[in-house]
């Protein structure tokens, strides 16, 4: 029941009306009997929105496109890993005597990717090819390096790919050299294959047999063309929805200091996919 003691959480961004985070987190509050609510916070004026969150006493907020980088200068403390990635996706507010006294920014995207992959593979010592050079590739590439994987990066725009590989301190592979690359894991960190362009795929199907595990960050559709083709080649596949779940579970841990109710959050996600046409 929502009352005067209800704790406030939400997801801040410009396209949050489609976010699955409210579904996951609210299902968790319900199963644990926590008096909290998690709402979409749609705003383009990030500074005003941030002041509002502090003034209204929010406890925790997820940050998404396009505010993950621009919100950083407003925060009191930024976790060193988020600083290195250059983006935050999680805010943790501390309050004292009805006032917000501190806001910590951190990043759980890379943890989400690592944990989703760790369900089916050992990351330390594995060779991983990451496709893409945007914010997602950056967080995932960083996380894989943290997990002691040997990371290779490929990208459509070579300059951008080379630049990110140099920043991460990982290997770069050009599109011409891609057919010769053999690795344990392939991660698509681009939006290629996402609805409404679900007929697209970021890599030729004939290369997929060069990998044992294939993960897609795209989760709409649930089974992307990349994952379908990878399955047909005998690869173990990991859906982007697992990364989504694990990054949310890590947020829960930061906000409540306890393990997240994984089964309830996973079930809520599954139901939301079933309800889609
Ligand atoms: P995000 O921050 O969400 O990762 P982004 O910064 O827009 O998003 O990055 C998108 C990534 O997907 C980029 O690596 C982009 O490649 P370019 O650097 O060449 O633009 C990649 N990408 C997007 N559309 C693509 C397509 N049709 N084919 C191949 N790569 C694509």
């Amino acid at each position: 029941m929502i009352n005067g003691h209800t704790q406030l959480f939400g997801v801040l961004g410009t396209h949050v009306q489609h976010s699955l985070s409210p579904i996951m987190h609210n299902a968790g509050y319900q199963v644990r009997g926590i008096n909290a609510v998690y709402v979409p916070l749609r705003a383009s004026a990030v500074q005003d929105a941030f002041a509002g969150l502090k003034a209204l006493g929010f406890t925790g907020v997820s940050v998404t496109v396009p505010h993950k980088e621009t919100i950083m200068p407003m925060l009191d403390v930024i976790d060193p890993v988020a600083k290195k990635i250059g983006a935050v996706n999680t805010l943790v507010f501390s309050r004292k005597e009805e006032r917000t006294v501190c806001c910590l920014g951190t990043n759980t995207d890379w943890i989400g990717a690592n944990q989703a992959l760790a369900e089916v593979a050992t990351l330390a010592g594995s060779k991983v090819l990451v496709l893409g050079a945007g914010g997602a590739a950056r967080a995932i590439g960083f996380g894989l390096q943290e997990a002691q994987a040997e990371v290779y990066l490929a990208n459509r725009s070579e300059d951008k790919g080379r630049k990110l590989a140099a920043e991460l301190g990982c290997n770069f592979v050009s599109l011409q050299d891609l057919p010769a690359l053999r690795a344990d894991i392939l991660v698509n960190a681009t939006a290629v294959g996402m609805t409404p362009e679900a007929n697209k795929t970021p890599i030729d199907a004939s290369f997929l047999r060069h990998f044992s595990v294939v993960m897609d960050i795209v989760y709409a559709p649930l089974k992307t063309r990349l994952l379908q083709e990878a399955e047909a080649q005998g690869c173990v596949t990991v859906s982007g929805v697992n990364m989504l779940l694990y990054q949310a579970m890590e947020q829960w841990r930061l906000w409540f200091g306890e393990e997240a109710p994984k089964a309830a959050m996973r079930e809520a996600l599954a139901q939301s996919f079933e309800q889609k046409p």
Side-chain angles (χ1 to χ4, degrees):
M1 194 178 56
I2 292 173
N3 58 25
H5 300 289
T6 304
Q7 278 188 285
L8 303 174
F9 295 86
V11 54
L12 176 66
T14 49
H15 294 87
V16 291
Q17 62 272 40
H18 304 299
S19 171
L20 295 173
S21 295
I23 290 166
M24 277 189 287
H25 286 284
N26 286 316
Y29 304 154
Q30 199 169 9
V31 75
R32 287 276 165 89
I34 295 174
N35 186 359
V37 63
Y38 186 111
V39 292
L41 300 161
R42 192 173 169 190
S44 50
V46 65
Q47 200 150 6
D48 293 348
F50 183 68
L53 298 174
K54 284 207 299 189
L56 295 169
F58 271 72
T59 301
V61 168
S62 309
V63 183
T64 187
V65 180
H67 303 318
K68 285 184 177 187
E69 292 96 13
T70 49
I71 205 164
M72 291 177 80
M74 298 165 212
L75 309 180
D76 300 301
V77 186
I78 300 174
D79 154 273
V81 174
K83 216 178 254 178
K84 215 163 162 184
I85 292 171
V88 299
N89 78 325
T90 308
L91 305 181
V92 184
F93 295 91
S94 316
R95 281 176 66 83
K96 214 173 176 181
E97 288 156 14
E98 305 285 297
R99 283 185 58 243
T100 300
V101 289
C102 181
C103 180
L104 163 80
T106 184
N107 190 308
T108 67
D109 287 330
W110 67 280
I111 298 174
N114 278 7
Q115 291 187 346
L117 281 170
E119 276 193 338
V120 296
T122 304
L123 295 178
S126 281
K127 195 167 162 181
V128 187
L129 171 65
V130 177
L131 301 176
R138 195 184 174 86
I140 291 170
F142 176 84
L144 289 167
Q145 301 243 105
E146 282 284 299
Q148 315 286 321
E150 188 189 347
V151 181
Y152 287 74
L153 195 100
N155 190 50
R156 177 179 61 181
S157 315
E158 188 161 330
D159 286 357
K160 208 172 147 192
R162 277 192 192 282
K163 189 163 173 278
L164 178 57
E167 278 174 41
L168 291 172
C170 73
N171 308 284
F172 176 78
V173 52
S174 69
L175 296 182
Q176 298 91 283
D177 294 338
L178 212 52
L181 187 87
R182 303 285 181 278
D184 303 297
I185 302 171
L186 169 73
V187 178
N188 173 37
T190 78
V192 178
M194 193 191 289
T195 309
E197 295 190 299
N199 60 330
K200 293 199 172 159
T201 181
I203 189 167
D204 196 283
S206 62
F207 302 157
L208 295 173
R209 61 192 156 81
H210 301 160
F211 307 92
S212 309
V213 173
V214 176
M215 179 167 99
D216 206 334
I217 64 161
V218 175
Y219 53 79
L222 204 47
K223 199 172 268 184
T224 56
R225 180 174 159 191
L226 170 67
L227 294 185
Q228 285 175 33
E229 291 177 346
E231 221 170 69
Q233 295 287 333
C235 308
V236 171
T237 59
V238 181
S239 161
V241 86
N242 290 15
M243 175 176 162
L244 185 73
L245 172 69
Y246 281 112
Q247 67 76 29
M249 286 174 57
E250 180 61 16
Q251 292 184 319
W252 183 291
R253 208 182 58 75
L254 291 164
W255 291 332
F256 296 108
E258 60 176 38
E259 284 305 305
K262 183 177 178 180
M265 291 167 85
R266 196 192 273 277
E267 177 57 25
L269 268 180
Q271 273 183 19
S272 78
F273 280 104
E274 273 165 27
Q275 281 158 15
K276 295 241 164 75

